[in-house]
Each structure stands twice: as structure tokens, then as C-alpha cells.
């Protein structure tokens, strides 16, 4: 997969994780803790794992795009600077 193109698989992974979290929260809100032998909370935990995988793939693709332009210490500091500016507005 080329780092310049978006992956529809990542959109699908993110969509599945969002739906899993939404369904888990709705079921727990209405007091449903299990469906048959399956515990609903594991859907939420699975969604968190999907988000971790998604985030790591997106970060690695970002680093790969940056690597095409920079190298060495410039690559490291450029990547970390972008991460800081990405997180800073949230705080």
C-alpha cells in the first residue's frame, strides 16, 4: 500500500470499532450485560484493541510519508513535533 493513498480498510476498521463501542455502551446503559454466553463488555475491549491497531497503522503511515522527505534526527524531531502539535490543541 502506498503511503500517499488512503486505505479504505482503515476506514472499515475505524467504523467497526465505533459501532462496537456504541453497541456496547447502549446495551450496558439498558442493563444488558450478556447476550447468550457472550459478555457485552468484551465488545468494548475488542473495540479498544481495534483503535490501538488503527492508531499504530496511521502513525506508521505518517512516519513513512515523513521519511520520504527527511532523515536522521530531522525525521525524529519532525515526527515528534507533529505529534505534539496534534495533541496540544486537545489539552
Amino acid at each position: 500500500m502506498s503511503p500517499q493513498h488512503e486505505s479504505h480498510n482503515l476506514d472499515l476498521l475505524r467504523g467497526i470499532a465505533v459501532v462496537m463501542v456504541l453497541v456496547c455502551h447502549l446495551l450496558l446503559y439498558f442493563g444488558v450485560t450478556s447476550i447468550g454466553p457472550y459478555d457485552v463488555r468484551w465488545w468494548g475491549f475488542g473495540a479498544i484493541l481495534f483503535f490501538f491497531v488503527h492508531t499504530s497503522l496511521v502513525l506508521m503511515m505518517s512516519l513513512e510519508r515523513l521519511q520520504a522527505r527527511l532523515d536522521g534526527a530531522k525525521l525524529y524531531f519532525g515526527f515528534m513535533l507533529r505529534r505534539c502539535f496534534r495533541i496540544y490543541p486537545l489539552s
Side-chain angles (χ1 to χ4, degrees), residues 3 9 21 29 38 59 66 75 83 86:
N9 292 334
V21 167
Y29 176 77
Y38 303 107
L59 284 175
L66 196 59
L75 173 64
R83 297 287 66 82
R86 172 96 177 166

Side-chain angles (χ1 to χ4, degrees), residues 9-89:
N9 292 334
L10 289 176
D11 294 337
L12 179 66
L13 181 65
R14 181 177 38 231
I16 289 171
V18 167
V19 169
M20 286 173 66
V21 167
L22 179 67
V23 168
C24 177
H25 284 168
L26 282 174
L27 289 174
L28 290 175
Y29 176 77
F30 289 112
V32 179
T33 58
S34 64
I35 297 177
Y38 303 107
D39 189 354
V40 170
R41 290 174 291 223
W42 284 106
W43 292 358
F45 296 141
I48 290 170
L49 293 177
F50 282 177
F51 278 121
F52 280 139
V53 168
H54 177 272
T55 301
S56 66
L57 288 172
V58 169
L59 284 175
M60 290 300 105
M61 289 171 57
S62 173
L63 184 60
E64 198 172 24
R65 283 192 303 268
L66 196 59
Q67 188 178 19
R69 295 183 311 206
L70 304 172
D71 61 347
K74 289 181 181 180
L75 173 64
Y76 173 76
F77 289 114
F79 182 76
M80 295 308 290
L81 185 65
R82 290 178 65 195
R83 297 287 66 82
C84 289
F85 280 118
R86 172 96 177 166
I87 293 170
Y88 178 71

